[in-house]
Amino acid sequence: MLRSVLLPSLMMSALVVAVPPEPVAVTPQTSQPVVDCGNYCDNRDPALPPGSRRSVHQPGTSAPQRTGGPPSTGNAAPAAAAVICNKYCDGRDPALAPADRLTQTVTVGSRRISLHFDDADAMGWAAISATGQGDEVWLDRSFDAGVSWGSGSRLGNTSVPPGFGDWRTMMFNVDDWANFGVGLLRACGRPAGSSTIACTSWYRTTWNAGERRTAAATALMERYNLGNGLFDTTSWWNSANALTAIIDNIRLTGMNSYRYAIARTYNLNLPAWQGNFINDYNDDIAWWGLAWLAAYDLTGDSRYLNTARIGADHIFRYWDSVCGGGVWWSASRNYKNAITNSLYVQLNAALHNRIPGDTGYLQRARTGWTWFVNSKMINSANLVNDGLTTTTCANNNLTPWSYNQGVPLAALTELYRATGDTSLLTKARALADASTSSSFLNPGGILFDNGGGGDVPSFKGIYVRGLSTLNRALADRPYTTYLRRQADTAYTRDRSSADAYDQPWAGPFQRSDAARQHSAVDLMNAAG
């Protein structure tokens, strides 16, 4: 997981810093990739060769070099910003705005700095009041969720002329539609002769963020890397889930603005690893297979279906008789775990439901579920532990992570659709009742995975996605109240000014990344 050394999160509070009154040259700072370890590390299968271990970046690429500058709050001269033209071009007079939405006001000395939006035209401007001659006011614009703003620093920088008590910049676009730039703005100002700058928090217009589902999706797309087709600040398999969340959001809300990410991700990453989204981790392969099935459902493009089939066929090679069946987690064949095998059932059942006349994928799904339910990974509390001890084939009693509860629900729902066997929904309902009522999983009634690392922030989103899949298949929609409670709590207590979300949905918000954010998108999708 990457952390910026410049601005690690979008905090709700305003930024006030002291800088020298005259700009001097500085060397841009860059962040370095780190392995983030909680209950386990990102690279957690030492039996595989180093090149096969999980990595924040796909093979052949390096960590994206984030520069923060020249930030308006630093002491470097601002770079010239390219003019962006959407409905209107940068530099439009705020007097022409049909509406004025004030987002936040901060103070520096006796001056008040405020950020305003014209939501109809998707533009914003900064204003300063209670001013003195020579006071400065400007905008910053970021296209990477507030990590850096070097190409959008001090937009419209202007000084208050004599005789004016209020002053403002011109209007600037938040987004760059022609170049798929998903942006944020903040307002900054400095009193004349002072070394202190005050900035509002980062905000955006309601364009592509008119309600909480689309706002969360837009905040996630701020982290989409156009260069590699993945999501910055998270890993390979997490990016599959982030893309799935975006595809689900398009389907549920009808907002097609981010549809371009589907083909872009596919085209840029098809050759990665061993090709066709295959690496040495069978759960990674299954996550991408499910993402491409979601893409196929949305677009009807058969290449996505074919890639999912290739992945499922590859995973099938890792089914053997050890512990009576099941597929291995990785190419090292040293662990049979719950997530890989529940994904195996879901992926094969989903393929059957999309391939007319299929019998093979259905048989794999049936056999996979029979083995899973008899494997004893489901404990006496109807929660799914992490996997089996290979030497004894017994439940290893490791943490019942939330995603291990959610994927079986989606798998059983797909298998029910394939077979019409209502006993599968009965079993799914029993598992869902156990996980939604578990005080271990839901302290204080709000879902929480007690662990760190780069993987864990994705777990809750996967859980609610699976739960909502089951909920929609049940006539009485028994889990709607639970899902809405999670979403309402997160929206109220765990959200930044820019609609970014942290890992604990009960709050408070401290930082976000693409894994945390896709979980929030999954949650908002699930709750409606």
Side-chain angles (χ1 to χ4, degrees):
M1 183 185 303
L2 294 178
R3 292 192 179 121
S4 167
V5 297
L6 290 161
L7 193 62
S9 64
L10 299 173
M11 302 301 293
M12 292 296 291
S13 59
L15 178 65
V16 180
V17 297
V19 300
E22 296 296 327
V24 296
V26 295
T27 302
Q29 300 182 56
T30 61
S31 61
Q32 298 297 324
V34 297
V35 175
D36 194 349
C37 298
N39 287 36
Y40 51 77
C41 295
D42 293 340
N43 294 339
R44 66 182 194 271
D45 189 0
L48 290 171
S52 298
R53 295 180 185 175
R54 291 179 190 256
S55 169
V56 174
H57 307 286
Q58 70 183 82
T61 67
S62 59
Q65 297 300 297
R66 292 295 192 197
T67 68
S72 66
T73 51
N75 52 6
V83 174
I84 292 174
C85 296
N86 294 327
K87 184 177 179 181
Y88 300 107
C89 290
D90 288 344
R92 183 172 169 81
D93 189 343
L96 300 175
D100 176 354
R101 177 169 64 90
L102 171 64
T103 60
Q104 187 183 18
T105 298
V106 296
T107 60
V108 53
S110 62
R111 280 64 163 175
R112 295 190 299 274
I113 314 298
S114 56
L115 177 64
H116 301 253
F117 283 114
D118 165 13
D119 290 311
D121 298 329
M123 304 184 81
W125 68 94
I128 187 169
S129 58
T131 63
Q133 181 179 345
D135 290 349
E136 293 179 87
V137 63
W138 65 89
L139 290 167
D140 287 335
R141 179 167 58 201
S142 174
F143 289 119
D144 55 11
V147 174
S148 67
W149 48 98
S151 63
S153 181
R154 301 200 183 197
L155 298 175
N157 189 19
T158 182
S159 297
V160 180
F164 285 84
D166 301 297
W167 198 243
R168 63 190 181 192
T169 68
M170 302 300 276
M171 291 195 292
F172 288 80
N173 288 290
V174 180
D175 301 319
D176 183 359
W177 298 344
N179 296 298
F180 304 124
V182 185
L184 297 169
L185 293 180
R186 69 178 183 181
C188 298
R190 176 169 62 181
S194 173
S195 62
T196 302
I197 290 172
C199 293
T200 67
S201 300
W202 293 101
Y203 290 86
R204 61 170 289 112
T205 66
T206 57
W207 190 272
N208 286 346
E211 43 109 338
R212 65 188 188 182
R213 291 178 299 176
T214 54
T218 292
L220 176 57
M221 286 302 295
E222 291 162 15
R223 299 182 182 276
Y224 184 70
N225 187 313
L226 292 165
N228 64 22
L230 300 172
F231 289 81
D232 287 337
T233 70
T234 196
S235 190
W236 171 253
W237 78 270
N238 311 77
S239 285
N241 279 280
L243 182 63
T244 301
I246 291 295
I247 294 170
D248 287 347
N249 191 266
I250 295 170
R251 176 177 53 81
L252 292 167
T253 69
M255 185 181 75
N256 286 291
S257 300
Y258 307 126
R259 199 180 179 107
Y260 64 85
I262 302 170
R264 193 179 193 97
T265 295
Y266 185 89
N267 293 335
L268 287 172
N269 291 283
L270 189 64
W273 303 101
Q274 299 164 32
N276 289 300
F277 297 86
I278 292 173
N279 65 0
D280 286 321
Y281 289 86
N282 285 324
D283 54 343
D284 290 13
I285 299 167
W287 290 124
W288 280 108
L290 291 170
W292 298 128
L293 286 184
Y296 171 71
D297 290 345
L298 183 68
T299 67
D301 190 332
S302 61
R303 64 178 178 159
Y304 301 137
L305 176 63
N306 293 336
T307 298
R309 293 188 69 169
I310 292 169
D313 292 345
H314 180 88
I315 297 170
F316 178 64
R317 300 172 191 171
Y318 288 87
W319 180 284
D320 63 20
S321 61
V322 175
C323 296
V327 293
W328 294 101
W329 173 46
S330 69
S332 63
R333 296 178 184 262
N334 64 355
Y335 188 35
K336 289 192 173 180
N337 62 350
I339 196 61
T340 307
N341 281 279
S342 55
L343 284 168
Y344 175 82
V345 176
Q346 183 184 356
L347 179 57
N348 281 283
L351 282 167
H352 168 79
N353 290 335
R354 289 155 178 82
I355 301 173
D358 166 72
T359 58
Y361 292 114
L362 177 59
Q363 185 57 47
R364 290 181 194 176
R366 285 182 184 272
T367 303
W369 175 248
T370 299
W371 177 83
F372 190 97
V373 77
N374 290 317
S375 69
K376 300 182 180 179
M377 286 188 289
I378 304 175
N379 63 33
S380 59
N382 253 349
L383 298 179
V384 180
N385 292 107
D386 198 67
L388 301 177
T389 301
T390 305
T391 55
T392 64
C393 296
N395 186 323
N396 60 18
N397 293 312
L398 294 180
T399 303
W401 298 108
S402 65
Y403 79 155
N404 279 331
Q405 321 311 313
V407 175
L409 306 182
L412 286 167
T413 304
E414 284 284 3
L415 194 52
Y416 161 73
R417 289 172 181 157
T419 65
D421 183 354
T422 57
S423 70
L424 298 170
L425 290 184
T426 300
K427 181 62 175 178
R429 189 164 187 151
L431 294 173
D433 287 347
S435 58
T436 54
S437 62
S438 166
S439 58
F440 174 82
L441 288 169
N442 302 278
I446 303 302
L447 186 66
F448 181 69
D449 282 300
N450 187 18
D455 289 331
V456 176
S458 285
F459 290 176
K460 297 197 306 299
I462 293 163
Y463 172 76
V464 295
R465 190 193 311 155
L467 182 64
S468 66
T469 298
L470 172 64
N471 192 50
R472 289 192 299 271
L474 299 173
D476 59 340
R477 304 292 195 271
Y479 307 109
T480 298
T481 298
Y482 173 90
L483 290 168
R484 287 179 178 169
R485 180 170 72 249
Q486 308 303 313
D488 292 345
T489 300
Y491 186 79
T492 302
R493 298 165 58 181
D494 185 41
R495 181 173 58 98
S496 80
S497 60
D499 288 291
Y501 290 80
D502 201 348
Q503 183 174 346
W505 291 340
F509 176 88
Q510 296 182 13
R511 68 186 180 99
S512 190
D513 57 32
R516 287 164 166 80
Q517 190 65 24
H518 93 66
S519 282
V521 177
D522 281 317
L523 176 59
M524 299 307 159
N525 289 341

